[in-house]
Amino acid sequence: MKKKTSLKDIAKEAGVSIATVSYVLSKQENSGVSQEVSDRIKDIAKRLNYRPNQIAKSLQSGKSQTVGLIVADISNPFFAQIARIVEDEAKKYGYTVIFGSSDEKATKSHDLIKFLLNRQVDGFIITPTEGSEGQIELLKEQNIPFVLIDRYFPSIDTNYVAIDNYKAAFDATKKLMENGNKRIGMVAYSTELNHMKERIQGHKDALGKGIYDESLLQEVAFERIVENIPKAINNLVKGNEPVDAIFFATNTLGVIGLKYLNELKLQVPDDIAVIVFDESEVFHFFYCPLTYVKQPLSDLAKKAVTVLLNHIKNPNAKLDKVKLNAQLVIGNSSN
């Protein structure tokens, strides 16, 4: 096995001290060493295929140039796109992203945080799961830089970047009402997480007192989506007062829900109008162009990176609480 090139090897060939080589390669243009010597050292390092020891570099600088990204489910197109954008954006600033999925389980989120802390990440971007408040509080207590993305806990003072879920859901339900729909059901996740509660509240307030009743909201467990959605939709379309529209609170709920509506031979929008929160490539193959809530994914992910890196650089910086607006993309399904 070929011996790895060391700083000593470069110093010997360049005729300078090891300290000078180290200074030039770590400080680059700001080394203060003459241009001629600096160029000679860099050329030798390149020719000898020198690779810096990242662990030693991290110990020296106190920074690993890595960040941890924990999302709910990397197989969901929404989170996959966020991960991709975060990775590309972080790379512009010299950071590498290590990411994993919590699968909406607080225990898995805990294990991922522990693993990433052991990897000496400089900070975190986290989509928090239900029941993970203690983990977020602990990161705060330990002064570890982090930003919550897509969701946050109103009871904990943290950095976060999210959309205005209440307004997005309110506007979606109002659109269904404007198009003449009277009874508008909603299929949502059964969770205490704030983003889902905001969507539910937006739907409820848009309908208003006198129209909204509890039977219009059908909540399903994240772990049992496939089994629960048919029950939820049956409750909405087969009761004494069937709905004429359904608002699906996420793209996953929408995909499985639309499939079941097909099985029931219910045509969209003739038999039932539909709006879905979030988009999905699968929707392009649906026979009816869908109306959906489009989240500003690029802005969401890029802003999360900016906020995190600012707090890595300035630990005492004021907390950033960012809410972005979503856009309602109009198709034929909401008529």
Side-chain angles (χ1 to χ4, degrees):
M1 186 177 174
K2 190 178 177 182
K3 179 177 172 287
K4 188 177 177 183
T5 302
S6 67
L7 293 177
K8 186 178 179 182
D9 297 327
I10 299 169
K12 186 177 179 182
E13 186 159 334
V16 297
S17 69
I18 295 173
T20 301
V21 173
S22 176
Y23 209 65
V24 167
L25 296 181
S26 63
K27 298 290 184 180
Q28 294 296 319
E29 302 306 320
N30 303 315
S31 67
V33 177
S34 73
Q35 193 66 49
E36 181 189 348
V37 173
S38 181
D39 288 345
R40 186 162 79 247
I41 288 170
K42 288 175 187 175
D43 287 343
I44 293 168
K46 188 176 180 181
R47 179 162 47 80
L48 296 180
N49 198 25
Y50 170 72
R51 288 195 209 64
N53 183 323
Q54 286 302 128
I55 295 172
K57 199 173 176 183
S58 297
L59 289 170
Q60 186 181 29
S61 66
K63 295 282 188 292
S64 66
Q65 296 300 117
T66 60
V67 296
L69 171 65
I70 300 173
V71 296
D73 178 9
I74 200 70
S75 69
N76 184 321
F78 173 79
F79 291 113
Q81 287 181 65
I82 280 182
R84 178 80 244 196
I85 298 163
V86 165
E87 184 180 31
D88 290 344
E89 191 67 12
K91 188 179 179 183
K92 293 178 187 175
Y93 298 94
Y95 278 81
T96 300
V97 179
I98 307 172
F99 52 83
S101 299
S102 67
D103 296 329
E104 298 288 8
K105 293 183 176 71
T107 52
K108 193 170 180 190
S109 171
H110 172 270
D111 291 344
L112 283 168
I113 289 173
K114 187 177 177 183
F115 167 77
L116 291 166
L117 284 173
N118 287 335
R119 292 293 299 267
Q120 303 291 316
V121 296
D122 296 332
F124 290 89
I125 297 175
I126 301 173
T127 303
T129 64
E130 189 170 7
S132 65
E133 291 93 333
Q135 299 164 28
I136 303 306
E137 291 279 18
L138 195 59
L139 289 175
K140 273 195 75 174
E141 287 170 18
Q142 295 176 344
N143 294 317
I144 295 163
F146 71 92
V147 56
L148 303 184
I149 187 170
D150 182 51
R151 324 163 177 176
Y152 62 96
F153 296 115
S155 60
I156 307 175
D157 207 21
T158 62
N159 293 310
Y160 66 77
V161 181
I163 71 153
D164 190 336
N165 286 285
Y166 175 87
K167 183 178 185 300
F170 185 95
D171 292 347
T173 302
K174 279 293 184 188
K175 170 53 70 175
L176 288 167
M177 294 173 74
E178 288 166 10
N179 290 352
N181 299 290
K182 305 294 184 191
R183 280 184 62 77
I184 301 165
M186 181 179 191
V187 179
Y189 284 128
S190 174
T191 178
E192 290 303 312
L193 285 168
N194 189 56
H195 73 303
M196 194 58 58
K197 290 294 181 187
E198 285 183 340
R199 292 177 195 181
I200 291 170
Q201 194 62 48
H203 171 251
K204 183 177 180 178
D205 289 354
L207 291 174
K209 291 178 181 177
I211 298 177
Y212 181 82
D213 69 70
E214 296 300 327
S215 69
L216 291 174
L217 174 64
Q218 296 293 316
E219 295 180 284
V220 302
F222 178 79
E223 305 83 12
R224 295 187 293 277
I225 305 172
V226 177
E227 309 98 280
N228 284 179
I229 283 184
K231 296 174 190 172
I233 291 177
N234 284 339
N235 288 339
L236 292 173
V237 303
K238 292 184 177 180
N240 294 329
E241 294 182 89
V243 300
D244 45 19
I246 297 178
F247 176 33
F248 291 102
T250 74
N251 55 6
T252 303
L253 294 171
V255 170
I256 301 170
L258 289 168
K259 185 180 176 185
Y260 186 65
L261 289 175
N262 267 351
E263 290 176 24
L264 293 178
K265 303 285 193 290
L266 289 173
Q267 291 289 306
V268 177
D270 297 339
D271 298 320
I272 192 153
V274 167
I275 291 183
V276 183
F277 208 109
D278 288 339
E279 56 189 310
S280 170
E281 286 188 5
V282 177
F283 295 160
H284 298 304
F285 301 100
F286 194 63
Y287 61 82
C288 174
L290 288 170
T291 298
Y292 63 92
V293 175
K294 182 182 175 67
Q295 298 199 56
L297 286 188
S298 183
D299 293 343
L300 201 67
K302 287 180 179 179
K303 187 64 180 175
V305 172
T306 303
V307 169
L308 177 62
L309 297 189
N310 177 47
H311 281 264
I312 289 173
K313 189 177 178 182
N314 308 295
N316 297 318
K318 184 182 174 185
L319 291 176
D320 285 290
K321 299 176 181 184
V322 183
K323 274 202 175 182
L324 304 172
N325 286 321
Q327 173 193 359
L328 192 60
V329 177
I330 307 300
N332 297 335
S333 68
S334 54
N335 294 341

